[in-house]
Amino acid sequence: MPPFPRPEWDADFPIDVAGQRSALRAHAKERGIPERSRDQLLLATWNIANLGVQKRDDPQDYALLAEIVSWFDIVAVQEVNDNLVGLRALMDKLPGEYRTLFSEASGNQERIAFIYDSRAVEQLEKVGRLSIPPSQLKHIKLPGSNVAFEGFDRGPYMAAFAALDGAFRFLLVSVHLYFGSDRKADVDRRAREAIAVARWADSRRSSENAFVSDIIPLGDFNLPKLDDNDPIYKALTSRGLKLPDEEERRISQIGGTSLGGLNHYDQIALFPSSTTEVQHVDVFDFERPMFRGVFEHKTLVQFLAYTRFHMSDHRPLWARFKL
């Protein structure tokens, strides 16, 4: 997508990194994000808008992005541009023990990355793109449709990891599904991508040749609603994947992962019978404590434009797993 423009009046509101960091930490405590410890694994997914193409301020903006990333053991990041300057700037602000893996660019010149703390998580041998043989494409269809799956616009990227206690071994499959528009043809294409992910994950977890059986698709599914009638929701959950704490999050006052909380674009999907115990899943509404000067002196539309330029138009989604 095109980079978000810098507001013309931006210079009127210099960013106090220390003050913003303090506000974020206080809000994280209110939202129940725990301190990291060896008896749990903290996983997050975050679409950081136009990372590498949007001209964010360095070091201020990247320091604040890194502050949030540093609360988690591992983070799947979408919208990493082919130009790695943004990812490099983010990594430079994290402790030296953090590592990254990233894919080749595909649709929209986007890569997908994993950022993880090597003190808490070990990278295992399996890494690569989700690949579906051409002979299988014709079998991936929506109910009642003859239109076959034509492949991913932005290929999902996967990597296997283990918590350092070794008991929790898992494969993360990070996605940024096609959006296009709200036209039926584009929604159907997105739903076919969702059902392709669900079908692959379901068949792979039961294979005798699976590297690990604990497969966790996550990322930006461009899923507008946690609703049984939503076509993307139906496709994603059609093969046994569940979206944790669905009932709780449908009525959550925090809302979804779009800036402002209207849409539930980003998800962490699990097969409950094969995944280690997940104790909590929630959204972190980072914009609520941030940039108070802008919020008080500008319109809501201007505040959101400022926030999505310096941070993102998506909120992180995070999960806590018991080890």
Side-chain angles (χ1 to χ4, degrees):
M1 62 186 298
F4 295 126
R6 178 190 292 272
E8 294 180 1
W9 41 265
D10 194 345
D12 297 337
F13 296 91
I15 293 176
D16 171 14
V17 173
Q20 298 299 328
R21 182 181 285 122
S22 178
L24 283 169
R25 289 176 179 175
H27 194 59
K29 189 172 182 179
E30 281 186 26
R31 290 302 189 218
I33 299 179
E35 297 289 334
R36 292 167 57 200
S37 65
R38 297 187 66 86
D39 63 350
Q40 64 185 2
L41 183 130
L42 298 180
L43 166 69
T45 181
W46 195 6
N47 179 326
I48 303 179
N50 306 305
L51 187 62
V53 65
Q54 196 156 300
K55 304 301 183 184
R56 291 178 171 88
D57 292 333
D58 191 357
Q60 296 96 324
D61 295 351
Y62 290 106
L64 295 174
L65 292 170
E67 170 64 27
I68 294 174
V69 169
S70 72
W71 300 341
F72 305 101
D73 298 308
I74 183 166
V75 182
V77 180
Q78 300 82 40
E79 278 200 28
V80 178
N81 189 255
D82 190 26
N83 183 340
L84 292 169
V85 62
L87 181 61
R88 299 297 189 204
L90 177 57
M91 293 300 297
D92 283 346
K93 305 303 180 293
L94 288 165
E97 294 83 5
Y98 274 79
R99 306 283 185 268
T100 187
L101 299 170
F102 53 83
S103 71
E104 183 56 279
S106 56
N108 203 32
Q109 291 298 297
E110 288 181 29
R111 303 177 189 262
I112 292 175
F114 296 108
I115 299 174
Y116 65 98
D117 187 341
S118 62
R119 296 168 296 186
V121 176
E122 176 188 7
Q123 181 201 335
L124 301 180
E125 298 155 300
K126 182 169 182 174
V127 61
R129 287 284 193 184
L130 192 164
S131 178
I132 297 175
S135 62
Q136 296 297 309
L137 297 179
K138 62 186 178 183
H139 301 298
I140 303 174
K141 300 176 183 178
L142 298 176
S145 172
N146 292 321
V147 180
F149 177 55
E150 59 270 50
F152 295 102
D153 181 58
R154 293 172 279 220
Y157 184 54
M158 68 179 74
F161 299 92
L164 286 189
D165 68 352
F168 184 23
R169 293 161 53 91
F170 53 96
L171 181 70
L172 298 181
V173 184
S174 181
V175 311
H176 188 184
L177 295 192
Y178 177 79
F179 181 78
S181 72
D182 291 325
R183 294 186 305 115
K184 184 178 185 305
D186 287 345
V187 172
D188 285 351
R189 180 176 175 182
R190 194 185 328 154
R192 286 193 293 274
E193 289 198 359
I195 207 168
V197 171
R199 182 178 183 270
W200 177 88
D202 183 35
S203 63
R204 197 61 193 162
R205 68 174 175 141
S206 58
S207 170
E208 63 181 13
N209 296 318
F211 181 69
V212 295
S213 60
D214 200 337
I215 297 174
I216 304 175
L218 76 172
D220 183 357
F221 289 90
N222 276 310
L223 169 65
K225 296 180 182 179
L226 289 173
D227 188 315
D228 293 335
N229 295 316
D230 180 88
I232 314 306
Y233 179 93
K234 287 198 293 186
L236 181 58
T237 58
S238 64
R239 298 293 290 263
L241 285 167
K242 301 294 184 184
L243 307 182
D245 299 328
E246 292 171 30
E247 293 302 325
E248 177 183 339
R249 288 169 57 211
R250 287 174 205 256
I251 61 173
S252 170
Q253 296 304 305
I254 301 175
T257 59
S258 62
L259 196 62
L262 180 62
N263 297 303
H264 294 261
Y265 291 137
D266 308 86
Q267 296 295 329
I268 297 172
L270 306 170
F271 293 108
S273 61
S274 60
T275 299
T276 194
E277 182 181 350
V278 59
Q279 296 181 310
H280 192 74
V281 178
D282 216 337
V283 173
F284 181 64
D285 51 341
F286 66 84
E287 78 276 17
R288 191 171 299 272
M290 296 191 78
F291 309 138
R292 291 296 88 190
V294 180
F295 183 80
E296 291 166 3
H297 293 91
K298 297 291 182 179
T299 67
L300 178 60
V301 170
Q302 289 172 319
F303 168 75
L304 294 176
Y306 184 89
T307 303
R308 72 183 187 181
F309 174 80
H310 288 283
M311 297 293 287
S312 182
D313 61 339
H314 285 242
R315 299 159 160 182
L317 179 72
W318 62 278
R320 176 164 58 97
F321 295 86
K322 181 179 179 180
L323 298 181

